[in-house]
């Protein structure tokens, strides 16, 4: 197990409406966490050892944020020359978040899904929204669009296959992975140009940062981030949860595309194998820099 991620909880089942879910503060997620077998084992057996080889992300940018903020840069991340940055941001121009749903963002999520099916037909897709109401609305809109889109219909019907297109809320995406993850950050101003309320449902709660860590590490090849917020619109207070800070930090990370991996480190080769490869490339006329893209 991974103590930096979160076991499934019943957060949304404990509330009666999506509005209640956004404002709920009584959910004892800490008690739920304490009941996990992993937590019991880590308290009983020592030393605790970590598997450090990160196998899912095919590009360093997909794991860079979590590696830095949750794993102290201890994960072994494999370098990739596929793209410079594997996270694309889609900023909603006129967002309107009300009663747990952001309809302009729903439309843009659907547009991004159709675009991904056209540009990367070989890739599987998953869609994750921050709350249940938004994920249900996205699912309904995709169902309507699938009437006139055969490939979308086929993907939606593959419910038990890794090729299937799933639409889930943050709480239900545990253990899933897809080639491309489309994220709907959901929250935003109630009116275009308005401010963003600091109410982010389960992200506000204890363990909210762990929920986000689960979400940020589901993709193999790319993340399409559809958002109605910019990082400067999130203003944490002294009492804000780690989840709120993590959400702001991730938005800022995607906006700046700032990475510590994939750059020249200036370090010398650390293995005979690396030296042999460098010498062979040099003999063929290439200029070689060693230890590039090493996390």
């Amino acid at each position: 197990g991974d103590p930096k991620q979160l076991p499934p909880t019943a957060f949304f089942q404990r509330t009666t409406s999506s509005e209640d879910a956004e404002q709920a503060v009584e959910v004892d997620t800490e008690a739920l966490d304490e009941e996990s077998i992993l937590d019991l084992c880590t308290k009983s057996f020592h030393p605790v050892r970590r598997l450090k080889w990160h196998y899912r992300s095919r590009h360093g940018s997909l794991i860079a944020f979590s590696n830095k903020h949750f794993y102290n840069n201890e994960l072994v991340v494999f370098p990739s020359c596929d793209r410079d940055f594997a996270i694309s941001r889609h900023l909603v121009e006129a967002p309107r978040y009300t009663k747990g749903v952001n309809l302009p963002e729903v439309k843009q999520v659907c547009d991004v899904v159709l675009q991904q099916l056209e540009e990367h037909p070989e890739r599987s897709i998953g869609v994750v929204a921050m709350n249940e109401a938004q994920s249900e609305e996205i699912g309904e809109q995709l169902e309507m669009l699938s009437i006139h889109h055969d490939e979308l219909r086929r993907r939606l019907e593959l419910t038990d296959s890794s090729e299937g297109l799933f639409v889930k809320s943050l709480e239900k995406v545990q253990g899933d992975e897809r080639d491309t993850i489309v994220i709907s950050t959901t929250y935003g101003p109630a009116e275009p140009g308005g401010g963003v309320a600091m109410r982010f449902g389960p992200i506000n709660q204890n363990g909210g940062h762990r929920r986000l860590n689960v979400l940020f590490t589901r993709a193999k090849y790319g993340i399409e981030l559809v958002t109605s917020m910019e990082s400067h619109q999130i203003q944490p207070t002294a009492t804000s949860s780690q989840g709120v800070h993590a959400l702001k930090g991730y938005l800022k990370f995607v906006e700046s595309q700032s990475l510590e991996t994939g750059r020249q480190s200036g370090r010398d080769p650390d293995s005979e194998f690396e030296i042999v490869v460098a010498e062979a490339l040099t003999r063929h006329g290439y200029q070689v820099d060693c230890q590039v893209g090493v996390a």
Side-chain angles (χ1 to χ4, degrees):
D2 185 349
K4 300 298 182 181
Q5 298 196 8
L6 196 70
T9 68
F11 178 86
F12 286 104
Q13 281 68 44
R14 291 167 178 255
T15 56
T16 56
S17 73
S18 58
E19 285 188 283
D20 292 336
E22 302 309 319
Q23 300 178 20
V25 294
E26 300 296 328
V27 181
D28 189 6
T29 55
E30 192 168 22
L32 290 172
D33 297 346
E34 286 298 311
E35 294 174 359
S36 77
I37 295 173
L38 175 63
D39 286 344
L40 294 175
C41 287
T42 54
K43 291 178 180 178
S44 302
F45 299 100
H46 297 280
V48 174
R49 300 173 66 183
R50 174 183 291 169
L51 294 174
K52 294 186 177 181
W53 294 60
H54 177 73
Y55 65 91
R56 179 179 292 119
S57 302
R58 301 296 195 266
H59 195 285
S61 58
L62 295 174
I63 191 62
F65 182 84
S66 287
N67 195 17
K68 179 178 180 180
H69 290 274
F70 302 119
Y71 300 107
N72 300 316
N73 281 326
E74 294 177 357
L75 297 182
V76 177
V77 180
F78 301 100
S80 169
C81 59
D82 188 30
R83 335 172 24 180
D84 291 333
F85 200 75
I87 307 172
S88 298
R89 185 178 71 131
H90 307 267
L91 187 62
V92 180
E93 290 186 2
R96 193 182 299 272
Y97 176 71
T98 177
K99 296 183 179 180
V101 176
N102 187 336
L103 288 176
E105 189 168 303
V106 169
K107 182 182 183 305
Q108 192 145 348
V109 166
C110 294
D111 291 343
V112 168
V113 169
L114 294 178
Q115 180 184 10
Q116 287 298 305
L117 287 175
E118 182 177 342
E119 294 181 358
H120 302 287
E122 76 286 357
R123 293 186 183 180
S124 58
I125 301 176
V127 181
V128 184
M130 293 296 180
N131 65 25
E132 193 77 24
Q134 183 83 347
S135 67
E136 288 178 356
E137 186 66 34
I138 293 171
E140 290 175 6
Q141 293 294 329
L142 288 175
E143 284 286 347
M144 292 177 62
L145 289 169
S146 70
I147 297 174
H148 305 291
H149 197 292
D150 293 340
E151 179 59 16
L152 178 59
R153 166 55 54 189
R154 187 183 76 84
R155 297 288 188 99
L156 290 172
E157 290 176 348
L158 292 172
T159 54
D160 297 325
S161 169
S162 60
E163 293 182 29
L165 193 161
F166 70 71
V167 181
K168 296 186 177 183
S169 66
L170 178 64
E171 296 296 293
K172 295 181 178 179
V173 74
Q174 312 286 344
D176 293 291
E177 64 178 26
R178 288 294 187 271
D179 294 334
T180 300
I181 294 293
V182 181
I183 297 176
S184 169
T185 58
T186 305
Y187 307 109
E191 298 289 340
V196 176
M198 296 297 101
R199 295 193 299 270
F200 303 114
I203 296 172
N204 281 97
Q205 305 307 316
N206 235 347
H209 61 296
R210 295 167 68 186
R211 290 176 170 87
L212 290 175
N213 186 33
V214 173
L215 173 60
F216 298 153
T217 56
R218 299 302 94 200
K220 295 181 182 179
Y221 289 97
I223 289 176
E224 302 294 321
L225 182 72
V226 183
T227 182
S228 299
M229 303 177 289
E230 295 184 85
S231 59
H232 68 84
Q233 293 177 285
I234 299 178
Q235 300 292 335
T237 65
T239 58
S240 294
S241 69
Q242 287 180 269
V244 175
H245 287 279
L247 179 60
K248 178 182 177 70
Y250 189 76
L251 291 178
K252 188 174 182 179
F253 163 67
V254 177
E255 289 163 6
S256 64
Q257 298 191 2
S258 175
L259 279 179
E260 296 303 321
T261 57
R263 296 178 179 177
Q264 295 185 19
S265 65
R267 296 198 295 266
D268 294 328
D270 65 356
S271 71
E272 291 296 324
F273 174 73
E274 190 173 359
I275 293 171
V276 171
V277 173
E279 289 175 347
L281 291 169
T282 301
R283 287 197 301 272
H284 282 78
Y286 293 99
Q287 179 181 338
V288 177
D289 294 304
C290 296
Q291 294 289 291
V292 173
V294 178

